[in-house]
Amino acid sequence: MSGFMSILKRDLHLAIRQGMDNMMVVMFFVLAVVLFPFGVGPEPNILARIAAGVIWVAALLASMLSLERLFQTDYEDGSLELLTLSPIALEVIVLAKITAHWLTTGLPLIVAAPLLAVLLNMNTEGFPMLILALVLGTPSLSLIGAVGAALILGSRRGGVLLALLILPLYIPVLIFGVSAVDAVIGGFESKAQLLILSAFLMGALPLCPWAAAAGVRQAIE
Amino acid sequence: MSVFSGKNLICVRGERTVFAGLDFSLEAGGALVLIGHNGSGKSSLLRLMSGLLKPASGTLSWDGEETGEDPEAHGGRLHYVGHHDAVKPVLSVVENVSFWASLRNGGAAANEAARAALDAFGIGHLCDVPGRFLSAGQKRRVNLARILAAPAPLWLLDEPTTALDRQTIAALEATIARHRTGGGMVVISTHSDMELDAFQVLDLADYTVRQTGLEQAS
Amino acid sequence: MLHRFANPTRFLRIATLVQPWMAWSTILLAGAGLYLGLLSSPADYQQGESVRIMYVHVPAAWMAMFCYTGMAVSAGVGLIWKHPLADIAAKATAPVGACFTFLALFTGALWGKPMWGTWWVWDARLTSMLVLLFLYLGYIALANAFDDPSRGTRASSILVLVGFVNVPIIKFSVDWWNTLHQPASVIKMDGPSIDASMLWPLLLMAVAFNTYYLWVLLIRIRAEIVANKIRILRLKQVHG
């Protein structure tokens, strides 16, 4: 556990010292959402209708963009080898890094989301559910993305490749994340969607660090 | 007394057999120097010993127990110095070293251990300087301080003298001698001369091991 | 090095023997299946002549899933037992499976035009198939993204296993999404009861697709083994 905390602390430290990098992810998120009114027109009804979907898709893309760096810098400067050789299980190390990633990118996205929902004229009844769905969904995105981030280490053109690998795997989270918000706005229950999102998270929590650790091991071999 | 040994090791990299049928055995306090031309597999052998690489066949064992059985335990008993120095540009020197130490001794007194280790390599005055300001030689010294900051019986050093000046090499030799007196083991691959007490030489040209007295490895 | 290639050598011998059989069965079965399906079987009372697309579409969709399963099994075997042939088989299956998936999507669109009035609807089956195509493409991209081919093989093996776990989840999600947004009004392509005059050509085509897959797979594996040998010779030149 103390190893987990050490790595979490270090990664948070690194992220805070390189503050601009994380701000850029949030800026991308905001910008991507702001593009939509230009694309589909400023009609409030249309924007309100697509708001949840647009925010989720933009969050997906933003989370993916930042994931490329999850292992990359440690891979390049040799830290990843040394982490693998530490007495702590690699799965725990990977989980600590994913946690740090979520705290530094997922959390800011969740904070920015209601603001964007206002810009898109989303029904205010959906706001709490949007936040709740993002809280349950974005950790799964970080977990799934970590597997992709580990697999592309040392490849040519990692960033585009990462998108190709993990965006299809994000589809279930997207479907239920959006559906939870839309259900509430439409006046329905969204307990089922939330339960399924939680189930994804519970499934991803043990499986993804394990797969990502396998990916890291083969990358540094 | 601990024994670290390898039997009939075969290493295949990118479909090429780097070496085959390699044996070695190292006892507490012992040192093994790897020599051989470029591409003869010195780095591969060190990575194999560390567990980063899996041998295509053959066994590595510590006190008779296969190291692959429990990679975390093996990782805990070794320090590996590779080609990269793993110094984070935005962390200060002491933060860099104490992070690695905290992974091994649970965070207790990691800071003090890191400072002492940095002093041993003559860069105690750089403690609070961020890593990005360091020269190649200073980064290498930070990396070497890392292995001093948390004790481990087995040191695997891949070309540790790269970018080091004569004075620091002497400090490294003294550190290694002290490590060995305390029962530690060292495996080194090196191009430059290093002064070591009685050590074994493993020549990767013919996989022979010979015992050497007090002389220079080259 | 030799022990690693002992198996592929034996495999090459068997492959040379089996391959012509696969080629001939494919030609005969597909010929018979196409004749029965396109000419001698009746048109559907509801869908008319366009039902004949089914004889290509349904086997292609089956093969698309079969190939992905096959890839996942080979990748698992390759990762666990380090069997070189399993890795090669997984790698060789990917483009074939992607083509089957594309064929299923393409014929689905062709069938959709007269039935639904548009080339594409976000029907649950078609959408799942589309995601499957992306999974195939991701696998192929990853397998070829490394300068060291063995890196690509290992990374893509892990990816295909992760994808395999996700396929049922994606399928379930897409089904849910589809029922939310589109009340079930589309006509199912394969109804529960199917007349023998339609079943026979369908089964013949399914078997023909299978033998075709094996035929192409054998060719691709042989090519891959030869390519490996060439690479080893090149390395010997460089390293002596």
Side-chain angles (χ1 to χ4, degrees):
Chain A
M1 202 57 210
S2 79
F4 180 90
M5 290 312 288
S6 293
I7 294 159
L8 180 62
K9 249 194 300 196
R10 163 192 181 253
D11 271 28
L12 289 178
H13 233 110
L14 286 172
I16 291 164
R17 299 263 172 96
Q18 294 161 325
M20 245 349 248
D21 292 19
N22 295 306
M23 279 312 294
M24 261 156 47
V25 172
V26 179
M27 271 152 58
F28 169 85
F29 176 52
V30 173
L31 206 63
V33 170
V34 166
L35 280 181
F36 274 83
F38 294 109
V40 299
E43 179 77 41
N45 290 334
I46 296 176
L47 290 180
R49 166 71 194 77
I50 61 170
V54 167
I55 291 173
W56 261 100
V57 169
L60 222 78
L61 295 176
S63 143
M64 186 205 73
L65 273 184
S66 58
L67 272 165
E68 194 195 342
R69 310 294 296 163
L70 181 59
F71 299 114
Q72 192 70 35
T73 41
D74 279 343
Y75 176 73
E76 281 164 3
D77 70 11
S79 302
L80 203 54
E81 288 179 358
L82 298 181
L83 285 172
T84 313
L85 291 177
S86 76
I88 300 156
L90 189 54
E91 286 76 9
V92 175
I93 296 172
V94 167
L95 188 61
K97 290 187 77 68
I98 296 170
T99 312
H101 172 264
W102 182 77
L103 288 174
T104 51
T105 59
L107 215 49
L109 294 187
I110 295 172
V111 173
L115 190 76
L116 294 170
V118 171
L119 287 183
L120 292 182
N121 201 32
M122 195 173 104
N123 192 327
T124 41
E125 283 165 36
F127 277 43
M129 186 49 68
L130 176 67
I131 294 172
L132 190 56
L134 282 170
V135 166
L136 284 176
T138 46
S140 304
L141 298 182
S142 294
L143 283 160
I144 297 167
V147 180
L151 292 178
I152 60 156
L153 287 175
S155 70
R156 301 182 296 258
R157 284 197 230 158
V160 190
L161 187 58
L162 182 65
L164 200 53
L165 301 190
I166 63 175
L167 286 182
L169 303 180
Y170 276 176
I171 291 173
V173 179
L174 175 65
I175 288 175
F176 288 99
V178 175
S179 160
V181 183
D182 280 349
V184 167
I185 292 175
F188 299 103
E189 275 240 347
S190 57
K191 197 175 154 207
Q193 286 92 327
L194 290 181
L195 285 176
I196 292 170
L197 279 177
S198 319
F200 287 160
L201 183 54
M202 289 301 121
L205 208 52
L207 289 178
C208 290
W210 180 69
V216 168
R217 274 198 199 96
Q218 61 88 25
I220 56 176
E221 187 162 291
Chain B
M1 289 294 258
S2 312
V3 179
F4 180 49
S5 64
K7 239 189 137 42
N8 204 12
L9 294 169
I10 298 179
C11 175
V12 179
R13 299 291 285 148
E15 294 160 340
R16 186 173 75 90
T17 310
V18 183
F19 51 76
L22 191 147
D23 299 305
F24 74 90
S25 174
L26 197 57
E27 287 178 4
L32 180 65
V33 175
L34 309 179
I35 59 170
H37 59 86
N38 281 344
S40 61
K42 299 190 292 286
S43 293
S44 294
L45 179 56
L46 280 163
R47 292 174 73 85
L48 210 78
M49 288 174 170
S50 72
L52 286 173
L53 256 180
K54 307 263 175 305
S57 102
T59 53
L60 271 171
S61 47
W62 181 271
D63 286 347
E65 199 174 313
E66 259 189 65
T67 58
E69 299 283 315
D70 190 352
E72 279 96 43
H74 189 58
R77 64 171 88 97
L78 68 85
H79 273 306
Y80 170 78
V81 173
H83 295 295
H84 300 288
D85 289 321
V87 175
K88 288 284 167 197
V90 294
L91 295 185
S92 74
V93 166
V94 72
E95 280 170 333
N96 265 301
V97 177
S98 64
F99 163 68
W100 294 112
S102 72
L103 286 186
R104 284 163 187 273
N105 50 24
N111 217 344
E112 289 71 41
R115 278 174 195 277
L118 287 164
D119 278 332
F121 283 102
I123 42 172
H125 60 288
L126 295 177
C127 272
D128 299 318
V129 176
R132 63 170 166 276
F133 295 115
L134 300 185
S135 69
Q138 287 167 329
K139 277 187 187 165
R140 176 48 51 125
R141 284 195 261 175
V142 172
N143 194 5
L144 290 170
R146 170 180 64 82
I147 69 175
L148 255 188
L154 176 61
W155 289 2
L156 303 172
L157 313 177
D158 194 357
E159 307 279 356
T161 53
T162 312
L164 291 186
D165 53 25
R166 195 56 240 174
Q167 203 182 344
T168 319
I169 293 177
L172 177 61
E173 285 161 357
T175 313
I176 290 173
R178 235 176 302 134
H179 174 63
R180 289 175 61 190
T181 326
M185 310 172 191
V186 194
V187 183
I188 309 180
S189 78
T190 181
H191 276 307
S192 62
D193 297 347
M194 279 188 79
E195 305 246 5
L196 299 170
D197 286 335
F199 57 88
Q200 305 175 65
V201 176
L202 173 53
D203 190 344
L204 280 146
D206 51 7
Y207 315 141
T208 53
V209 179
R210 51 175 203 277
Q211 186 72 35
T212 318
L214 186 69
E215 60 179 277
Q216 285 196 332
S218 53
Chain C
M1 212 63 234
L2 261 177
H3 69 281
R4 287 184 59 140
F5 278 87
N7 256 327
T9 319
R10 184 153 22 109
F11 170 83
L12 277 179
R13 252 203 328 271
I14 299 168
T16 338
L17 281 176
V18 176
Q19 199 178 308
W21 286 94
M22 288 299 149
W24 282 110
S25 355
T26 305
I27 292 166
L28 290 176
L29 287 166
L34 283 176
Y35 170 77
L36 286 177
L38 298 186
L39 298 171
S40 86
S41 76
D44 189 75
Y45 76 101
Q46 223 177 359
Q47 307 180 12
E49 296 291 342
S50 51
V51 75
R52 300 189 195 284
I53 294 173
M54 176 186 79
Y55 300 118
V56 177
H57 175 82
V58 173
W62 282 344
M63 287 311 291
M65 285 180 279
F66 176 81
C67 285
Y68 203 79
T69 313
M71 262 163 66
V73 172
S74 317
V77 171
L79 276 180
I80 297 167
W81 289 289
K82 311 245 179 257
H83 200 297
L85 213 56
D87 286 335
I88 295 175
K91 214 173 152 191
T93 300
V96 190
C99 286
F100 281 131
T101 316
F102 182 75
L103 188 64
L105 281 172
F106 188 73
T107 51
L110 283 183
W111 181 83
K113 184 64 182 163
M115 298 315 298
W116 296 326
T118 68
W119 295 108
W120 182 264
V121 290
W122 290 91
D123 161 70
R125 281 154 186 269
L126 283 180
T127 311
S128 302
M129 239 352 143
L130 184 64
V131 178
L132 185 64
L133 182 64
F134 289 138
L135 291 180
Y136 271 118
L137 295 180
Y139 175 91
I140 296 170
L142 186 64
N144 294 307
F146 296 92
D147 293 325
D148 172 6
S150 63
R151 270 293 321 272
T153 311
R154 273 175 290 147
S156 52
S157 294
I158 296 174
L159 178 73
V160 76
L161 289 176
V162 172
F164 189 63
V165 173
N166 269 286
V167 164
I169 300 175
I170 293 172
K171 182 85 179 67
F172 157 74
S173 310
V174 169
D175 283 348
W176 162 295
W177 167 79
N178 196 248
T179 48
L180 268 188
H181 291 269
Q182 255 178 353
S185 64
V186 290
I187 308 151
K188 289 272 184 289
M189 277 180 111
D190 42 353
S193 61
I194 185 165
D195 190 74
S197 64
M198 291 177 158
L199 187 62
W200 269 110
L202 184 61
L203 287 179
L204 278 176
M205 287 301 285
V207 179
F209 269 54
N210 252 307
T211 53
Y212 172 76
Y213 162 65
L214 289 174
W215 177 22
V216 177
L217 182 70
L218 289 178
I219 296 177
R220 292 188 61 87
I221 293 181
R222 287 173 66 180
E224 194 70 27
I225 291 176
V226 172
N228 269 342
K229 281 187 177 159
I230 293 174
R231 212 162 35 230
I232 289 168
L233 287 179
R234 284 250 168 80
L235 281 168
K236 278 212 177 110
Q237 269 180 352
V238 176
H239 297 284

